[in-house]
């Protein structure tokens, strides 16, 4: 019994130590779990903060990009407006023809004025092709009305240029314009006093710009009617001028030139009446220009763009038809 007591105490101590160690391990294990959970929470918090920061940075980046795009768009619109203003200034100062166009002594025999006009008209047609391509692309891309308005204004200024060119050419050789030799053969079939008939052009363009409101249709009908009346008045005046000129030339004895004084009076009177042809071309072009401007005011920006495109295509088809006609195979006898 004396020998067993110490062993019993030792066993008890060992068991107590083991329990203490087990309790220590339990406490330590619980502490590690808490630290791990706290670490996970801290990691999640940092990830959320980084995610929020990334979102805020992306939002600011999108705002900066949007502002940059808007700035570029605004700069482009301002640049187009400056180009239009520069073109208007050149038009007012007469710089479109260049320094040598229509300068010097041009007469009917040299044909210098006619040749200069034909060259400038060829350039005008090339520029019209380019503008029509831009206008067609803009309509297909459904660009904003602000951008489309710039192209429409540019197209209207381009037509103002041809009227100004013709006014300068009429002072040099009005009969070159009147005859229409600067146009293609098929175009000459539809010419009226050196250009197109406004009423006929309105009839051609109206179906291409539909749908139209009732007020727009009424305004276009009134414009077409007023254009037709002005055309009839000019045609009657031109016919009266031609009759008067014929009477002047046929006065007196045509088979005798003995009365030199009478002959010279007839020629002087005929020259005065010939000068009136320039006024008729000017009035006809003024009617054409006013018709286009009033049509522009009646239509919306998008309708005006379709109208300009349809008008350009119409004249281009007339030129293409002339080319096909001239290139047709001919049968030789």
């Amino acid at each position: 019994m004396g020998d067993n007591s110490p062993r019993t105490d030792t066993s008890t101590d060992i068991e107590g130590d083991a329990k203490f160690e087990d309790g220590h391990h339990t406490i330590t294990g619980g502490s590690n779990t808490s630290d791990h959970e706290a670490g996970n929470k801290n990691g999640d918090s940092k990830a959320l903060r980084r995610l929020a920061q990334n979102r805020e940075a992306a939002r600011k980046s999108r705002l900066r990009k949007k502002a940059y795009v808007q700035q570029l768009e605004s700069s482009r619109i301002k640049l187009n407006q400056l180009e239009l203003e520069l073109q208007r200034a050149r038009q007012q100062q007469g710089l479109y023809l260049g320094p040598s166009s229509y300068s010097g002594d041009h007469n009917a025999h040299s044909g210098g004025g006619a040749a200069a006009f034909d060259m400038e008209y060829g350039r005008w047609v090339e520029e019209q092709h380019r503008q029509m391509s831009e206008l067609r692309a803009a309509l297909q891309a459904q660009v904003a009305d602000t951008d489309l308005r710039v192209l429409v204004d540019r197209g209207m200024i381009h037509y103002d240029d041809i009227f100004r060119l013709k006014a300068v050419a009429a002072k040099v050789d009005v009969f070159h314009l009147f005859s229409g030799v600067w146009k293609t053969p098929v175009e000459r079939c539809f010419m009226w006093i050196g250009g197109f008939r406004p009423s006929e052009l309105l009839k051609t363009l109206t179906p291409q710009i539909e749908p139209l409101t009732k007020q727009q249709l009424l305004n276009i009908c009134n414009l077409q009617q007023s254009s037709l009346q002005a055309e009839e008045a000019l045609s009657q005046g031109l016919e009266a001028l031609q009759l008067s000129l014929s009477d002047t030339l046929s006065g007196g004895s045509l088979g005798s030139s003995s009365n030199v004084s009478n002959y010279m009076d007839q020629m002087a009177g005929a020259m005065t009446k010939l000068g009136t042809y320039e006024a008729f071309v000017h009035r006809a072009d003024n009617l054409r220009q006013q018709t286009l401007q009033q049509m522009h005011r009646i239509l919306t920006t998008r309708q005006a763009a379709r109208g300009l495109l349809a008008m350009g295509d119409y004249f281009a088809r007339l030129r293409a038809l002339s080319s096909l006609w001239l290139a047709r195979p001919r049968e030789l006898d």
Side-chain angles (χ1 to χ4, degrees), residues 28-46:
T28 304
S31 177
N32 290 338
T33 302
S34 300
D35 293 342
H36 181 68
E37 291 176 354
N40 289 338
K41 290 181 180 179
N42 291 334
D44 292 341
S45 178
K46 291 180 180 179

Side-chain angles (χ1 to χ4, degrees), residues 19-29:
K19 290 179 180 179
F20 174 78
E21 289 177 359
D22 291 342
H24 177 72
H25 286 306
T26 302
I27 295 173
T28 304

Side-chain angles (χ1 to χ4, degrees), residues 87-88 90-98 102 117 120 124 157-171 177 285 289:
Q87 192 171 354
R88 289 192 184 99
R90 287 175 176 173
Q91 178 181 349
Q92 293 174 356
Q93 297 175 6
L95 298 179
Y96 183 82
L97 295 176
Y102 300 111
F117 173 77
E120 293 294 339
W124 185 90
I157 292 175
H158 190 57
Y159 276 100
D160 290 341
D161 285 339
I162 191 59
F163 293 130
R164 187 179 55 80
L165 281 171
K166 291 175 66 178
V168 176
K171 296 181 182 299
L177 291 179
D285 276 347
Q289 189 174 19

Side-chain angles (χ1 to χ4, degrees), residues 112-130:
F117 173 77
D118 291 349
M119 180 181 63
E120 293 294 339
Y121 177 70
R123 294 174 180 173
W124 185 90
V125 171
E126 291 178 358
E127 175 63 17
Q128 188 187 38
H129 282 312
R130 188 187 67 80

